Amino acid sequence: MRDATEALIVIDLQNDFCPGGALAVAAGDQIVAGINALAAEFQTVALTQDWHPQDHLSFAASHPGAQPYSEVAMPYGPQTLWPVHCVQGTAGAEFHPDLDTRPAQLIIRKGFRRGIDSYSAFFENDRTTGTGLEGWLRARGITGLTLAGLATDFCVAFSALDARALGFDVTVRLDLSRGIDLGGSLASMTERMRAAGVVLEG
Ligand code: VGL
Ligand code: ZN
């Protein structure tokens, strides 16, 4: 068992990010068994769940004429446009059926405000709206985080960078994460994590 000051945060292990899903990450489903085994080591486990309204402004379909994977200017800065994914209440938004959700004491839903995307488990993409995860962790005396899930170069990396900025010790399990890799994002975000002092394992 890990120390009581350590928590595992499993990022967006949902059907739409797995093969067959709307925003499938290659081999995204191959990390499920390893994450289940890892969760058994931790006394504190939280999951995040991408949870968008149907008309979310991170969807290309919400911007007439826009293509998925293009970029638009949002009031808070540039935003990549995605295929419609993880719509609240749909099968695509559910966790992968093999993910053991029983050890999780908290599920943080994010991206539910139509006008703001949320990659990070800590802050939405305006970089100021908090999700509440920091307070929950601090109230439980957590100082060290292990992150794994989907996608390495978006929600995992943004969460890891925010966690470092908030002062947590952070390990990302690269072997239990998979990336989207848009325009070299996997290499660039991995380097950003390394530079920020994130321990990269696997
Ligand atoms: C994610 C793009 C859009 C992720 C979520 O979980 O990495 N990526 N929404
Ligand atoms: Zn999303």
Side-chain angles (χ1 to χ4, degrees):
M1 263 292 174
R2 305 284 184 119
D3 190 83
T5 60
E6 299 270 320
L8 174 66
I9 317 281
V10 179
I11 305 290
D12 296 2
L13 202 30
Q14 294 165 259
N15 289 325
D16 268 343
F17 296 122
C18 290
L23 180 39
V25 181
D29 54 338
Q30 289 178 10
I31 62 178
V32 178
I35 285 178
N36 287 340
L38 185 62
E41 295 178 23
F42 284 83
Q43 302 179 45
T44 300
V45 178
L47 311 177
T48 67
Q49 188 173 26
D50 215 35
W51 193 249
H52 299 306
Q54 175 67 50
D55 58 352
H56 197 247
L57 290 185
S58 77
F59 297 161
S62 303
H63 302 261
Q67 291 303 306
Y69 308 106
S70 64
E71 226 175 60
V72 289
M74 298 282 266
Y76 53 79
Q79 169 69 48
T80 300
L81 295 180
W82 304 103
V84 173
H85 66 279
C86 295
V87 173
Q88 296 166 2
T90 64
E94 294 306 312
F95 293 110
H96 187 285
D98 296 334
L99 178 68
D100 184 1
T101 61
R102 289 172 301 180
Q105 298 128 5
L106 177 74
I107 299 172
I108 285 277
R109 286 176 166 169
K110 59 185 182 59
F112 50 79
R113 291 184 176 84
R114 177 174 184 267
I116 316 180
D117 205 3
S118 187
Y119 295 151
S120 165
F122 293 93
F123 295 102
E124 303 193 25
N125 284 11
D126 62 1
R127 317 308 304 139
T128 54
T129 306
T131 64
L133 179 59
E134 180 195 4
W136 185 81
L137 293 168
R138 294 216 195 278
R140 296 169 65 109
I142 304 296
T143 57
L145 303 179
T146 296
L147 273 61
L150 305 171
T152 312
D153 42 347
F154 286 92
C155 290
V156 175
F158 275 69
S159 299
L161 292 170
D162 280 350
R164 283 296 298 144
L166 292 169
F168 292 96
D169 296 323
V170 183
T171 297
V172 167
R173 286 289 298 262
L174 292 177
D175 57 332
L176 295 179
S177 303
R178 293 290 183 274
I180 294 174
D181 203 11
L182 199 60
S185 57
L186 190 53
S188 66
M189 293 308 287
T190 303
E191 183 45 40
R192 276 182 64 182
M193 287 193 281
R194 192 187 313 277
V198 175
V199 176
L200 301 172
E201 267 183 26

